[in-house]
Amino acid sequence: MLPVTSRRHFSLSLYMLRSSSPHIHRHSSSFLVPSFVSSTFSPVLERRSSSPPPPPPMAACIDTCRTGKPPPQISPRDSSSSHGDDSGFRYINYFRSSGYPDRASFNGTQTRTLHTRPLVEDLDRDAEIDDVWSKIREEAKSDIEREPIVSGYYHASIVSQRSLEAALANTLSVKLSNLNLPSNTLFDLFSGVLHDNPEIVESVKQDLLAVKERDPACISYVHCFLHFKGFLACQAHRIAHELWTQDRKILALLIQNRVSEAFAVDFHPGAKIGTGILLDHATAIVIGETAVVGNNVSILHNVTLGGTGKQCGDRHPKIGDGVLIGAGTCILGNITIGEGARIGAGSVVLKDVPPRTTAVGNPARLLGGKDNPKTHDKIPGLTMDQTSHISEWSDYVI
């Protein structure tokens, strides 16, 4: 048997020989690096990778409760972020590399978007979106310093990952796996979908910013990325929806089932979901097959976007941009909730709701009456304001 030092040098030489050989697939799932190599010779491995230059500083969080400034209005944009990593390796079941090409530009086209923000704020927010992955890594390293007990978990989930999509595929595969559905199988599936659909990755970034800006309970991006089941359920749905559109319905329905079991959130993979989505708490949210949810929508827990019977075809609600749906709300049937509308908690909505109006009650009624409903200028899906429409509490006392 060779001495320990000799074995280490032999293993490192073998690793570097295999990495440099053009006949060996560098991203093979069977390619493992011993832990002592990754720890002892990490500077060597880092020099061999083609990591992009460090991004510019992250823009400050603009949550109202922490800065005193109103949240921005969101408009569509074109952006790209370079992730030219073409190297890396697996570490057991969690340390995986991405090897993804540059991200393509993304344009939201699902519904009309509200254009109310100055161009300067648009540019600042674009920079923050492109910088999300760097910010997540910085926060993860800071959390490890503060709580060393989470170092193994954070290293496997964030620090060792080569890109946002690799980290997302890893996190979802671990959380949705079971004894009969290995995490490696799900990781390969999720990675393939994210690699082929860079617009999903852009939507992930938009959702991260939405949660950070609108939910005061979100203390960091990494906190949301790893622990917010509403965010994770939404990203799993994006992957399932892509599989559904490719007529890979068996896999799409399988993901729906696992998301329902793991997160208590039930999105049919046929439902169309926009960007900048906040699912606050998320427990017991149900969205039907033909439902459409626009951009910058905020939905609280125990909300149902459902049908009214057993009829087939287009039978579920259509939610416009910037809508806020309060907890415990049921919106039933093929009806339209106009952009910027607000639905009060516990409401049962069975008819169309005009844009920028408020509907409350069971059955829901428009504030101010259906002939001359009161309208508002702000976007509830961004402000998260659920009570400003109440002039006197006695209005709601029987």
Side-chain angles (χ1 to χ4, degrees):
M1 170 124 1
L2 294 172
V4 173
T5 304
S6 299
R7 292 201 305 272
R8 288 185 175 179
H9 284 292
F10 173 76
S11 299
L12 177 62
S13 300
L14 178 61
Y15 159 70
M16 298 180 72
L17 175 62
R18 296 181 62 183
S19 299
S20 60
S21 174
H23 304 291
I24 297 177
H25 196 296
R26 299 182 65 182
H27 301 292
S28 171
S29 61
S30 63
F31 181 43
L32 301 175
V33 173
S35 58
F36 68 81
V37 174
S38 62
S39 61
T40 306
F41 300 99
S42 58
V44 177
L45 300 182
E46 290 175 359
R47 286 197 300 269
R48 295 181 59 82
S49 64
S50 55
S51 301
M58 186 70 173
C61 175
I62 50 177
D63 185 44
T64 302
C65 68
R66 280 165 278 188
T67 64
K69 298 180 181 180
Q73 316 301 315
I74 300 174
S75 64
R77 61 182 191 85
D78 292 331
S79 68
S80 61
S81 59
S82 177
H83 300 272
D85 302 321
D86 61 354
S87 63
F89 51 91
R90 285 177 182 260
Y91 180 81
I92 309 179
N93 288 333
Y94 305 99
F95 196 31
R96 304 179 173 103
S97 64
S98 61
Y100 296 150
D102 292 347
R103 301 292 165 256
S105 298
F106 169 71
N107 290 301
T109 57
Q110 188 158 22
T111 56
R112 289 193 300 127
T113 305
L114 306 167
H115 304 271
T116 55
R117 282 193 303 118
L119 178 60
V120 173
E121 291 186 12
D122 279 339
L123 297 176
D124 289 344
R125 196 169 194 279
D126 288 349
E128 187 169 1
I129 290 172
D130 293 336
D131 223 14
V132 164
W133 174 236
S134 297
K135 186 65 175 178
I136 290 175
R137 290 176 59 86
E138 292 172 6
E139 292 172 347
K141 293 175 182 178
S142 175
D143 288 353
I144 291 173
E145 292 179 358
R146 296 174 61 185
E147 294 290 350
I149 196 173
V150 304
S151 60
Y153 172 50
Y154 270 52
H155 185 271
S157 301
I158 301 296
V159 178
S160 67
Q161 302 299 328
R162 301 300 302 169
S163 65
L164 177 65
E165 50 267 48
L168 179 61
N170 176 75
T171 298
L172 290 177
S173 65
V174 171
K175 291 182 180 292
L176 299 182
S177 62
N178 58 25
L179 292 177
N180 299 316
L181 193 60
S183 61
N184 283 342
T185 300
L186 290 176
F187 177 83
D188 292 338
L189 174 64
F190 296 160
S191 296
V193 174
L194 293 172
H195 173 260
D196 295 337
N197 298 273
E199 69 276 6
I200 296 180
V201 181
E202 291 299 320
S203 297
V204 172
K205 296 176 183 179
Q206 295 273 4
D207 292 349
L208 278 168
L209 263 69
V211 177
K212 187 67 164 57
E213 291 172 358
R214 302 177 212 165
D215 188 353
C218 180
I219 62 175
S220 64
Y221 289 111
V222 71
H223 178 218
C224 171
F225 189 86
L226 294 178
H227 305 140
F228 273 38
K229 69 177 186 178
F231 167 79
L232 293 171
C234 189
Q235 310 324 313
H237 167 78
R238 296 190 189 282
I239 295 173
H241 178 71
E242 178 60 28
L243 294 171
W244 183 267
T245 60
Q246 296 175 9
D247 202 28
R248 303 176 71 183
K249 296 184 177 181
I250 294 175
L251 286 176
L253 293 170
L254 174 63
I255 295 172
Q256 177 197 6
N257 173 258
R258 288 300 301 134
V259 169
S260 178
E261 292 175 339
F263 300 136
V265 177
D266 193 357
F267 283 21
H268 190 284
K272 299 177 181 178
I273 309 297
T275 63
I277 303 298
L278 168 62
L279 304 180
D280 198 359
H281 301 289
T283 300
I285 293 179
V286 178
I287 299 182
E289 177 183 4
T290 60
V292 177
V293 178
N295 300 323
N296 312 320
V297 172
S298 296
I299 302 176
L300 279 77
H301 52 283
N302 199 31
V303 166
T304 297
L305 306 181
T308 57
K310 62 179 183 179
Q311 70 272 22
C312 297
D314 195 355
R315 59 195 183 278
H316 295 104
K318 311 298 181 286
I319 310 299
D321 294 347
V323 171
L324 171 64
I325 304 177
T329 294
C330 290
I331 304 176
L332 306 177
N334 186 14
I335 61 176
T336 299
I337 308 300
E339 65 177 27
R342 174 171 45 200
I343 310 298
S347 299
V348 177
V349 184
L350 304 174
K351 296 183 179 180
D352 292 347
V353 176
R356 296 182 180 273
T357 61
T358 300
V360 294
N362 181 6
R365 293 176 173 82
L366 293 175
L367 194 68
K370 64 180 181 180
D371 294 330
N372 189 26
K374 294 183 179 179
T375 59
H376 44 258
D377 296 329
K378 296 182 179 180
I379 305 173
L382 300 180
T383 64
M384 301 297 292
D385 178 15
Q386 302 184 63
T387 60
S388 64
H389 62 280
I390 302 175
S391 57
E392 295 181 6
W393 183 251
S394 59
D395 291 347
Y396 291 86
V397 176
I398 298 177

